[in-house]
Amino acid sequence: MSSTHLSGTFTLGTHTVKRLGYGAMQLAGPGVFGPPKDPETAIAVLREVVANGVNHIDTSDFYGPHYTNQIIRQALHPYADDLVIVTKIGARRDEQGAWLPAFSPAELTQAVHDNLRNLGLDVLDVVNLRCMFDAHGPAEGSLEEPLSVLAELQQQGLVRHIGLSNVTSAQVAQGQKICEIVCVQNNYNLVHRDDDALIDELAGKGIAYVPFFPLGGFTPLQSTTLSDVAQQVGASPMQVALAWLLQRSPNILLIPGTSSLAHLKENLAAAQLKLPGEAIAKLNAI
């Protein structure tokens, strides 16, 4: 069976994308800071991503900062017509690499222009507003001012579609009163399921849900149940974790990241893995 058949597609803005995409965060240096340790491999990974039919790449100009977008441009520009590059604004890095909020109108506007320049684009397909009211996860706070800035940039023709990242259900509802929201990007995976209700709510509205850290992020997923299921279905634990997400809800788009060609191959193969009902039941019980 083809990967497209099993993982399917979903609408992201005005594009139809394959549900298994690619996250470019790990192409930057250690701690997502500084240049890639191996620029040639980073370019090879990006070209292999596109060669395998992936048409959704997630990035941000604060990865590096700047390096990740610059290497995407170097590897893939001019871009294929069906390639959707999604970026994020709302944060910045200091000289030591610490993550800081960048929510003022000037900072948000600058970030859009930085993304355009470093990616070599005239318009950004999708821009996620990354909310940093709390360093540890979504926290309530008004999005009216920053989202209005982004909506204005959309009206100027610099941004096609707008998404939200690190947000609550109430913030999504507030955002929808300001502009159309095409996706939500929050932390979600097999062992971090705070967003179960939000995923279902968004699915009902036809809005994409994009889990960041689908494999656990800086602390990779570990579970005896996950390892057991992986052994039973003849796949790696990470492939099972990705397949579980694809089967969790049709509006979930995956963006697993890697700087390794071998890991990329493993991740892409997860699109062909169909977990049986008993395996899903075991994983749901984690």
Side-chain angles (χ1 to χ4, degrees):
M1 280 189 195
S2 73
S3 59
T4 312
H5 175 74
L6 275 182
S7 64
T9 59
F10 196 77
T11 302
L12 184 57
T14 43
H15 292 271
T16 298
V17 297
K18 293 180 184 172
R19 291 181 58 214
L20 190 64
Y22 173 75
M25 183 172 81
Q26 291 185 34
L27 296 184
V32 201
F33 193 62
K37 59 181 185 288
D38 184 349
E40 286 182 12
T41 299
I43 287 171
V45 165
L46 284 163
R47 289 179 176 162
E48 190 67 15
V49 164
V50 173
N52 277 274
V54 171
N55 62 353
H56 169 208
I57 293 177
D58 181 85
T59 186
S60 175
D61 211 51
F62 52 65
Y63 297 158
H66 312 306
Y67 290 110
T68 297
N69 279 354
Q70 288 166 359
I71 211 148
I72 288 172
R73 179 179 185 170
Q74 188 180 346
L76 302 178
H77 195 278
Y79 305 111
D81 289 343
D82 71 334
L83 180 64
V84 179
I85 299 178
V86 178
T87 190
K88 277 180 292 300
I89 63 173
R92 64 181 179 86
R93 314 296 289 278
D94 67 12
E95 287 72 21
Q96 284 72 47
W99 302 82
L100 303 170
F103 242 44
S104 72
E107 287 171 317
L108 295 170
T109 302
Q110 182 65 50
V112 164
H113 285 282
D114 286 346
N115 277 282
L116 287 166
R117 182 183 67 255
N118 286 315
L119 287 168
L121 290 167
D122 297 321
V123 55
L124 299 170
D125 277 320
V126 183
V127 176
N128 286 320
L129 180 68
R130 166 79 180 184
C131 301
M132 294 186 66
F133 295 116
D134 185 323
H136 304 292
E140 297 299 353
S142 176
L143 301 185
E144 186 173 358
E145 185 182 2
L147 200 52
S148 296
V149 173
L150 190 47
E152 171 63 27
L153 292 164
Q154 183 183 38
Q155 284 157 17
Q156 290 172 23
L158 300 178
V159 173
R160 280 200 186 92
H161 302 287
I162 293 172
L164 297 172
S165 178
N166 208 38
V167 289
T168 65
S169 175
Q171 286 166 330
V172 174
Q174 184 191 28
Q176 288 183 296
K177 292 174 184 168
I178 297 167
C179 60
E180 183 189 6
I181 302 298
V182 301
C183 56
V184 171
Q185 193 177 107
N186 279 5
N187 184 8
Y188 184 85
N189 54 51
L190 193 52
V191 300
H192 188 280
R193 300 192 203 166
D194 294 353
D195 271 2
D196 271 332
L198 179 59
I199 289 170
D200 297 338
E201 177 190 321
L202 295 172
K205 296 176 177 176
I207 297 174
Y209 182 91
V210 188
F212 63 77
F213 297 156
L215 298 175
F218 299 113
T219 312
L221 296 176
Q222 287 183 315
S223 155
T224 308
T225 304
L226 176 60
S227 299
D228 290 347
V229 168
Q231 199 168 3
Q232 287 163 14
V233 300
S236 74
M238 296 301 102
Q239 286 174 322
V240 170
L242 292 174
W244 177 83
L245 284 165
L246 287 171
Q247 286 175 241
R248 164 66 182 81
S249 183
N251 66 322
I252 288 182
L253 302 180
L254 295 188
I255 49 167
T258 180
S259 57
S260 148
L261 284 163
H263 281 158
L264 175 66
K265 188 176 179 183
E266 182 183 328
N267 289 344
L268 292 173
Q272 299 176 354
L273 180 61
K274 181 80 170 149
L275 298 173
E278 66 180 86
I280 294 279
K282 286 178 185 173
L283 295 169
N284 286 348
I286 289 177

